[in-house]
Amino acid sequence: MPSIVVIGSQWGDEGKGRYVDFLAAKADTVVRYQGGDNAGHTIKSGDMKFALHLVPSGALYDGKKCIIGNGVVVNPKSLLNELKELRKSGLKIDQLYISDRAHVLMPYHITFDSLSENSSDKNKIGTTQKGIGPCYTDMANRCGIRFCDFIDTEVFKELVEKNVEKKNKELKCIYNVEPLDAKAIYDEYIEYAKELAPYVCDTGAMLGNEYAEGKKILFEGAQGTFLDIMLGTYPYVTSSHPTAGGVAIGSGIGPRCIDYALGVAKVYSSRVGKGPFPTEQNNETGDKIREKGHEYGVTTGRPRRCGWLDTVILRYAARVSSLNSLALTHMDTLGDFEKVYMCVAYEYEGKILKDFPASLKVLEKCKPVYEEFEGWNGNIGNIRKFEDLPVNAQKYINAIEKYSGVPVALIGVGQDREQCIVREQLF
Ligand code: IMP
């Protein structure tokens, strides 16, 4: 299996980090292909805990190539801080490459994101306020700044001046706030450009060669299927493509180079920010899941909304990304419940829906149809074989396979690297 993509099957925060880390141990190259520092992967290794935002998870192992692909929006300041922190913790990170086509997330992107989120506008998204949407907007508007231009002093200066002039007009007109100082921005950011220049190259060409040589490539998805700008719960989505299709456009090699798609899913559901969430439990059950599962954002610290597992969304995730298998997380978290519920369809105006609807108005009226399961003992952290799991846990996993239509390859039974049941060897 020369290449594998790890994709969030829900609304992000599925625990992709642990599987990316698990697979990164065997990979030659680890690639981020979308999103930016809105992502937060927590990886526990021995006594150490690492929170990665922009740096690919291969950084935790020596000798792996770590690629930030062209589909990523890179805040240079936060990337440099992250590198500093990781190196302080003892990581070398000596094979980092940034695509010359990746876009630079500029300070005005953050300004616009937070002004929009903190305005009185009722249509807020609940973003991470990291400037992600405004940066992708500039990309689509053809006024973004790519790394090849960022590291070219002259071109960068021209682009900053032109963009800041335009942004200042918008700032005055829409928000009536003080203008930004193009020179101050340029002076600060040109220093970051100098520091990052050695990492910048044509990563698409590099990946093409690696694939042709049979190297093992791991594509690391951030966020999740239902946050995909086109396939998610629009408009309550991020601005990139976390789904498998995002790999090709975000890394510079074609779809035939994706050999295997692994969907990561929590055995319950969670989401941060606003937007539809049919199985949400805004009650004691949700609170219990949040506390047991430590459901607080890695990037923003926000409490996550929690609820029961929804297999309607897993079926959708399986289709849009051609998932080969699922990797489950948090089987231990769900352990202590007397009864556990799984949504297997929606009821809408007396009809049964098995496919996830596009309309938010329809979604609001959808009532989950639940199947009830007996709980199991949460003390399963030492189990390494499926057959050794409590029978009720096995029944629950079998039902996930039945309703999602995808086999379960990996099962997380605790937070540590080794707390995993492996039913299929990947890589
Ligand atoms: P943005 O990506 O900051 O624009 O936020 C858009 C939506 O995506 C908001 O609902 C965020 O909470 C959500 N989001 C962005 N990144 C993540 C993530 O890494 N995990 C979970 N949700 C995220």
Side-chain angles (χ1 to χ4, degrees):
M1 207 92 61
S3 83
I4 299 179
V5 55
V6 175
I7 292 165
S9 308
Q10 296 154 315
W11 282 282
D13 309 317
E14 296 89 352
K16 294 177 289 298
R18 68 165 305 153
Y19 291 117
V20 168
D21 173 58
F22 175 77
L23 294 169
K26 291 191 191 157
D28 297 301
T29 302
V30 184
V31 189
R32 271 287 301 274
Y33 61 90
Q34 46 73 229
D37 62 338
N38 50 348
H41 285 175
T42 315
I43 296 170
K44 202 164 170 275
S45 167
D47 292 339
M48 305 279 279
K49 217 173 180 178
F50 299 94
L52 302 175
H53 297 280
L54 275 164
V55 173
S57 303
L60 267 60
Y61 300 91
D62 286 345
K64 312 275 174 194
K65 276 196 176 130
C66 294
I67 294 184
I68 298 181
N70 59 274
V72 180
V73 288
V74 184
N75 177 333
K77 191 173 174 175
S78 57
L79 175 59
L80 285 165
N81 281 338
E82 191 174 327
L83 287 171
K84 201 161 109 195
E85 287 305 313
L86 293 173
R87 284 181 177 136
K88 241 198 263 170
S89 317
L91 301 181
K92 275 205 209 130
I93 323 181
D94 52 3
Q95 289 205 67
L96 178 72
Y97 303 91
I98 305 169
S99 167
D100 47 8
R101 289 172 171 85
H103 278 242
V104 183
L105 196 142
M106 296 294 289
Y108 45 78
H109 294 134
I110 301 171
T111 307
F112 276 92
D113 200 0
S114 59
L115 281 170
S116 153
E117 283 293 306
N118 297 311
S119 69
S120 53
D121 183 353
K122 288 202 184 76
N123 302 317
K124 289 180 206 172
I125 304 297
T127 73
T128 57
Q129 300 192 31
K130 298 280 179 185
I132 307 295
C135 189
Y136 280 113
T137 302
D138 276 2
M139 178 192 291
N141 236 345
R142 286 145 293 184
C143 60
I145 301 179
R146 296 174 305 156
F147 264 77
C148 55
D149 297 327
F150 180 44
I151 58 171
D152 181 317
T153 328
E154 257 173 57
V155 182
F156 181 52
K157 191 159 184 274
E158 240 172 67
L159 288 172
V160 171
E161 281 166 2
K162 197 166 87 184
N163 283 355
V164 170
E165 191 186 337
K166 188 163 163 246
K167 301 290 170 200
N168 280 343
K169 283 187 194 143
E170 291 168 14
L171 282 176
K172 175 140 183 41
C173 203
I174 308 170
Y175 298 107
N176 197 22
V177 297
E178 290 295 305
L180 302 165
D181 180 348
K183 184 173 180 311
I185 293 176
Y186 172 79
D187 288 347
E188 182 185 351
Y189 276 68
I190 197 63
E191 295 306 317
Y192 303 147
K194 284 180 202 155
E195 268 189 82
L196 290 174
Y199 302 108
V200 179
C201 64
D202 184 347
T203 54
M206 179 185 268
L207 272 173
N209 291 335
E210 297 240 314
Y211 189 81
E213 285 165 19
K215 294 269 170 62
K216 290 179 179 150
I217 304 173
L218 178 64
F219 295 100
E220 174 178 2
Q223 290 86 43
T225 301
F226 286 80
L227 292 174
D228 186 291
I229 184 134
M230 218 173 259
L231 296 162
T233 46
Y234 190 87
Y236 298 102
V237 289
T238 191
S239 301
S240 65
H241 298 289
T243 43
V247 173
I249 45 165
S251 65
I253 56 172
R256 275 191 290 118
C257 301
I258 308 167
D259 297 304
Y260 193 99
L262 177 70
V264 182
K266 267 179 193 158
V267 292
Y268 49 86
S269 308
S270 77
R271 103 169 270 180
V272 265
K274 293 172 61 169
F277 181 177
T279 59
E280 180 169 16
Q281 298 297 304
N282 197 2
N283 51 32
E284 274 177 18
T285 301
D287 294 344
K288 184 171 167 187
I289 296 176
R290 184 179 311 107
E291 289 319 309
K292 280 208 71 197
H294 311 289
E295 293 295 349
Y296 294 88
V298 180
T299 304
T300 59
R302 291 182 291 179
R304 296 177 185 143
R305 299 155 62 193
C306 296
W308 297 120
L309 182 69
D310 186 342
T311 57
V312 178
I313 83 162
L314 293 188
R315 267 198 303 279
Y316 181 95
R319 171 170 58 82
V320 301
S321 288
S322 304
L323 296 183
N324 293 80
S325 68
L326 284 173
L328 304 179
T329 55
H330 283 279
M331 269 309 277
D332 52 320
T333 302
L334 218 46
D336 285 347
F337 286 80
E338 207 179 306
K339 303 272 182 203
V340 176
Y341 295 86
M342 182 185 293
C343 167
V344 298
Y346 301 147
E347 192 195 313
Y348 172 68
E349 295 187 337
K351 286 187 285 229
I352 293 296
L353 297 188
K354 293 211 163 168
D355 293 311
F356 194 83
S359 156
L360 296 193
K361 207 165 136 194
V362 172
L363 259 177
E364 248 170 47
K365 291 193 196 148
C366 281
K367 287 202 191 80
V369 177
Y370 286 113
E371 199 166 301
E372 185 183 273
F373 292 81
E374 296 298 323
W376 54 90
N377 185 346
N379 195 10
I380 55 174
N382 292 325
I383 295 177
R384 298 291 175 267
K385 280 197 200 133
F386 181 76
E387 302 71 44
D388 294 339
L389 281 171
V391 173
N392 289 341
Q394 292 187 30
K395 283 186 183 162
Y396 188 75
I397 293 167
N398 289 340
I400 294 176
E401 292 189 324
K402 173 178 148 194
Y403 289 115
S404 68
V406 184
V408 170
L410 305 166
I411 304 160
V413 291
Q415 270 194 54
D416 286 337
R417 260 181 181 164
E418 65 281 3
Q419 289 185 295
C420 183
I421 296 174
V422 181
R423 296 170 91 194
E424 181 187 343
Q425 283 299 337
L426 305 175
F427 268 151

